């Protein structure tokens, strides 16, 4: 397939965004979402984390995390180093070696967990109106920073991750369901997700309302998309 996944995570091998004040969640809405595949039943593996106490400490700071524990998807959030926290634990195991999608959403003071496009639980009351993230918060995909030096992490994810994202908004349940349905076809064998050819300079677009196909013209030919998946192409400019 055209889609790319990342794996081989370790304490020194992960994806990270250094502390950036523009990313701080504060008291607003937020979400993180990723596709994952694993057969591991390890107790603690972090898929995505936005946290980080002061370097050289054991402090977790003010985390907003999407975790995998003993085969189950979990969402965690705390404004005080886990002295109190909001938490949702999905009881159905997902370490079956298949691709699944998880989303953790902060909607006001309510935290919601979604798995494979479905709402599976929520929690509220602990974080309340307090702010999440601080000057030490760092986004890590495939692990968690805690108070470790930047570029080092713990609880690495044993498996593959794809299409990870984070944002300062709260997508609705309907939007999350649509994202899941639109993206799941990209994980099928030989699925195409890109424009045909080497050029990304789009010279023409046409949408067919009857077939719901999008036709995209470049110097390499015409690519036909059904949703996010390319189902056909020509080779004539």
């Amino acid at each position: 397939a055209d889609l790319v996944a990342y794996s081989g995570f370790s304490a020194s091998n992960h994806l990270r965004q250094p502390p950036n004040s523009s990313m701080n969640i504060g008291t607003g809405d937020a979400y993180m979402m990723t596709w994952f595949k694993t057969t591991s039943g390890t107790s603690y593996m972090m898929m995505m984390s936005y946290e980080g106490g002061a370097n050289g400490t054991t402090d977790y700071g003010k985390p907003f995390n999407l975790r995998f524990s003993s085969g189950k998807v979990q969402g965690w959030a705390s404004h005080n180093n886990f002295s109190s926290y909001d938490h949702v634990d999905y009881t159905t195991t997902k370490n079956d070696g298949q691709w699944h999608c998880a989303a953790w959403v902060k909607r006001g003071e309510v935290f919601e967990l979604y798995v494979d496009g479905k709402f599976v639980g929520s929690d509220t009351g602990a974080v309340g109106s307090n702010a999440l993230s601080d000057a030490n918060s760092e986004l890590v995909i495939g692990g968690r920073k805690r108070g470790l030096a930047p570029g080092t992490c713990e609880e690495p994810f044993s498996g593959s991750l794809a299409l990870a994202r984070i944002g300062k908004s709260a997508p609705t349940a309907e939007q999350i369901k649509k994202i899941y349905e639109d993206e799941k076809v990209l994980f099928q064998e030989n699925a195409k997700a890109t424009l045909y050819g080497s050029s990304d300079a789009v010279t023409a677009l046409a949408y067919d309302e009857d077939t719901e196909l999008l036709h995209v013209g470049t110097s390499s030919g015409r690519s036909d998309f059904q949703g996010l998946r390319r189902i056909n192409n020509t080779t004539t400019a």
Side-chain angles (χ1 to χ4, degrees):
D2 283 345
L3 204 61
V4 173
Y6 294 86
S7 61
F9 298 104
S10 69
S12 59
N13 190 24
H14 48 273
L15 296 161
R16 64 182 285 260
Q17 162 69 39
N20 181 340
S21 60
S22 298
M23 292 181 62
N24 285 358
I25 296 167
T27 59
D29 293 342
Y31 80 98
M32 54 175 51
M33 182 184 299
T34 189
W35 286 79
F36 66 92
K37 181 175 73 170
T38 184
T39 57
S40 175
T42 300
S43 297
Y44 304 118
M45 303 191 302
M46 196 64 70
M47 292 189 283
M48 295 182 67
S49 66
Y50 188 52
E51 68 172 18
N55 296 338
T57 71
T58 58
D59 192 353
Y60 291 99
K62 301 179 179 183
F64 182 65
N65 295 339
L66 193 51
R67 195 186 201 188
F68 201 77
S69 179
S70 301
K72 301 173 184 177
V73 178
Q74 300 177 332
W76 294 86
S78 174
H79 67 285
N80 55 12
N81 189 32
F82 288 112
S83 293
S84 60
Y85 51 83
D86 288 299
H87 164 238
V88 179
D89 188 351
Y90 184 43
T91 56
T92 302
T93 57
K94 292 295 181 182
N95 56 338
D96 54 9
Q98 302 298 313
W99 281 105
H100 298 282
C101 182
W104 182 228
V105 179
K106 179 182 185 297
R107 195 183 313 280
E109 297 181 10
V110 180
F111 294 85
E112 303 168 348
L113 183 64
Y114 297 80
V115 177
D116 290 342
K118 295 187 233 178
F119 171 78
V120 298
S122 64
D123 196 14
T124 189
V127 173
S129 61
N130 294 289
L132 293 181
S133 13
D134 55 28
N136 295 302
S137 292
E138 177 175 301
L139 174 66
V140 177
I141 298 172
R144 73 184 314 170
K145 175 186 177 290
R146 200 178 183 183
L148 301 172
T152 304
C153 79
E154 58 187 19
E155 296 183 22
F157 185 74
S158 179
S160 299
L161 298 172
L163 298 179
R165 74 212 76 171
I166 186 171
K168 293 164 72 172
S169 64
T172 65
E174 292 77 12
Q175 288 172 323
I176 291 172
K177 174 69 172 174
K178 178 169 171 43
I179 290 170
Y180 168 73
E181 295 294 340
D182 285 350
E183 293 180 351
K184 70 179 183 180
V185 297
L186 301 181
F187 292 85
Q188 297 174 3
E189 187 174 4
N190 297 320
K192 305 302 180 185
T194 63
L195 293 168
Y196 171 77
S198 59
S199 174
D200 60 1
V202 175
T203 58
L205 285 170
Y207 179 69
D208 188 325
E209 294 182 352
D210 292 330
T211 63
E212 297 186 340
L213 296 182
L214 177 68
H215 305 280
V216 186
T218 71
S219 59
S220 297
R222 188 191 72 241
S223 298
D224 303 331
F225 286 88
Q226 185 174 58
L228 298 176
R229 184 176 182 179
R230 191 181 85 233
I231 60 170
N232 187 33
N233 71 270
T234 69
T235 58
T236 304

